[in-house]
Amino acid sequence: MAACAARRALAVGSRWWSRSLTGARWPRPLCAAAGAGAFSPAATTTTRRHLSSRNRPEGKVLETVGVFEVPKQNGKYETGQLFLHSIFGYRGVVLFPWQARLYDRDVASAAPEKAENPAGHGSKEVKGKTHTYYQVLIDARDCPHISQRSQTEAVTFLANHDDSRALYAIPGLDYVSHEDILPYTSTDQVPIQHELFERFLLYDQTKAPPFVARETLRAWQEKNHPWLELSDVHRETTENIRVTVIPFYMGMREAQNSHVYWWRYCIRLENLDSDVVQLRERHWRIFSLSGTLETVRGRGVVGREPVLSKEQPAFQYSSHVSLQASSGHMWGTFRFERPDGSHFDVRIPPFSLESNKDEKTPPSGLHW
């Protein structure tokens, strides 16, 4: 979603902030209700009264936490860049960028669709283009306010452990697309509350941004690159519902004299229309290189049936899959319900599950 899009108001729990960036003058103050996570890029008394009367808890006052900068249309943001997420509204800081291949089926080539492939699903001729994503830390103060629209994203991994099915997680880590970043500056030397912030970043007032990578961040990135790396992003829109999928290879484990390969996949559902819809069912098909084809049906996702509305247009979650083969494919549909009770299916773009050929020792998480 472009940073200079039309005005949109976003609600996250008790937090509201609005953006109207077309023709805006920069820099612009970023305000927050202390402890409440209520943001506003406006600094006028009228706007503050509006936020005060409708959204913030009694007794909370708005405080300036930073100043918005002009979003970058080209180039990339550097390590230490503070930002506000344009969809989910949380404060964050950039750790480092990834160059991903974006396969957008909405802008597929004009070539006719191919016939059914061996995996059992139709395929468009889709060419990947390079797109910048960022590994970021989420401000812990904002996590409770985005819980209805996101899992407060956590990166999961398979640690070097005897339990072949044990999954470990680092909370408050997310992957953010370049266009979802609204950059800002702050005079606070610790503007983001996360247990890793001061372990990864050092304040240096001579730099811009004034937060530079510590050696611990560089070492952590290098050591855990195989399971952190974002390589492919898949996107498709059906009836104004956009589905974005990012798969991550997590590693291989031996179990009962066989190899089990694990992947994590992050999915964002985004309502591009003003009509309210609710996710009711999921239908997955999982093809393994070993020749098996599994069908999975169920209610909702991760135990929830999120509502996508104009006020809360997006929902994001992660899940996991394992195969007894080094590669495979996944695709399927989400079934949504309209207010009148009618249903429609939204396609999940097909994506590959590929293992890293140069797989290294399983990651050790946060042990340096």
Side-chain angles (χ1 to χ4, degrees):
M1 181 172 293
C4 292
R7 181 180 178 87
R8 165 170 289 177
L10 301 178
V12 186
S14 63
R15 172 179 56 210
W16 277 75
W17 64 275
S18 62
R19 63 188 175 103
S20 181
L21 303 182
T22 304
R25 289 183 295 177
W26 302 89
R28 309 180 70 207
L30 168 64
C31 303
F39 296 104
S40 170
T44 65
T45 304
T46 302
T47 302
R48 292 190 183 197
R49 283 202 302 266
H50 171 73
L51 287 168
S52 172
S53 62
R54 291 187 57 190
N55 305 297
R56 64 180 174 86
E58 189 65 28
K60 298 293 184 181
V61 294
L62 286 177
E63 298 176 353
T64 300
V65 297
V67 177
F68 274 114
E69 298 177 311
V70 180
K72 289 186 177 182
Q73 301 301 312
N74 300 299
K76 66 178 185 294
Y77 296 104
E78 302 297 329
T79 295
Q81 176 64 61
L82 301 173
F83 70 93
L84 189 68
H85 195 296
S86 70
I87 301 297
F88 298 113
Y90 63 72
R91 286 167 288 183
V93 62
V94 170
L95 294 181
F96 43 80
W98 294 112
Q99 291 301 309
R101 294 185 300 273
L102 173 62
Y103 297 93
D104 192 341
R105 297 171 71 84
D106 299 332
V107 292
S109 67
E113 291 197 14
K114 296 180 179 179
E116 294 283 317
N117 63 26
H121 61 280
S123 175
K124 293 180 180 179
E125 187 69 34
V126 183
K127 295 182 179 180
K129 63 178 181 179
T130 301
H131 195 73
T132 303
Y133 277 73
Y134 300 94
Q135 189 91 58
V136 308
L137 290 181
I138 302 174
D139 195 310
R141 293 168 294 186
D142 299 336
C143 291
H145 303 285
I146 63 175
S147 61
Q148 293 303 309
R149 296 195 293 162
S150 176
Q151 288 178 307
T152 308
E153 195 62 25
V155 170
T156 51
F157 61 95
L158 294 165
N160 191 3
H161 193 275
D162 292 337
D163 187 349
S164 62
R165 296 182 61 85
L167 290 176
Y168 296 83
I170 304 173
L173 277 175
D174 199 3
Y175 295 83
V176 181
S177 178
H178 181 84
E179 66 268 22
D180 286 341
I181 283 185
L182 298 177
Y184 74 92
T185 59
S186 172
T187 57
D188 190 344
Q189 293 190 21
V190 187
I192 302 298
Q193 290 189 11
H194 190 289
E195 62 179 344
L196 297 178
F197 183 85
E198 291 185 272
R199 297 177 72 176
F200 281 169
L201 299 169
L202 176 68
Y203 181 78
D204 184 344
Q205 63 180 358
T206 66
K207 304 292 185 180
F211 304 99
V212 297
R214 292 181 183 270
E215 185 56 38
T216 49
L217 175 58
R218 298 190 184 95
W220 183 75
Q221 178 187 8
E222 175 65 24
K223 188 173 186 178
N224 299 299
H225 183 278
W227 58 276
L228 282 175
E229 183 177 16
L230 176 155
S231 58
D232 295 343
V233 179
H234 304 265
R235 190 161 66 193
E236 184 169 3
T237 303
T238 308
E239 297 199 30
N240 290 315
I241 304 298
R242 177 187 291 160
V243 179
T244 303
V245 184
I246 306 176
F248 300 87
Y249 177 60
M250 298 172 61
M252 181 270 293
R253 286 289 182 273
E254 293 186 10
Q256 299 178 345
N257 298 321
S258 66
H259 292 169
V260 179
Y261 298 82
W262 285 82
W263 290 265
R264 178 172 71 95
Y265 55 91
C266 179
I267 292 185
R268 181 200 286 187
L269 305 168
E270 189 172 355
N271 187 357
L272 305 180
D273 203 351
S274 59
D275 296 336
V276 177
V277 295
Q278 184 169 12
L279 175 64
R280 290 301 192 187
E281 299 176 10
R282 68 187 186 280
H283 177 203
W284 282 106
R285 304 196 78 184
I286 307 168
F287 176 77
S288 171
L289 188 62
S290 63
T292 61
L293 179 61
E294 181 180 3
T295 297
V296 178
R297 291 183 181 270
R299 295 286 296 182
V301 291
V302 292
R304 297 167 65 173
E305 297 179 19
V307 174
L308 304 183
S309 63
K310 185 176 181 180
E311 292 73 28
Q312 297 192 2
F315 180 78
Q316 180 172 293
Y317 76 96
S318 289
S319 192
H320 305 86
V321 63
S322 63
L323 301 177
Q324 290 186 326
S326 59
S327 65
H329 289 83
M330 289 181 65
W331 69 99
T333 56
F334 291 120
R335 175 154 293 186
F336 281 84
E337 182 178 354
R338 301 183 180 92
D340 63 6
S342 61
H343 295 83
F344 64 99
D345 288 337
V346 171
R347 291 184 296 274
I348 303 171
F351 58 96
S352 298
L353 301 173
E354 301 290 347
S355 59
N356 293 347
K357 295 180 180 179
D358 58 344
E359 184 178 354
K360 301 176 182 179
T361 303
S364 57
L366 298 181
H367 301 289
W368 321 110

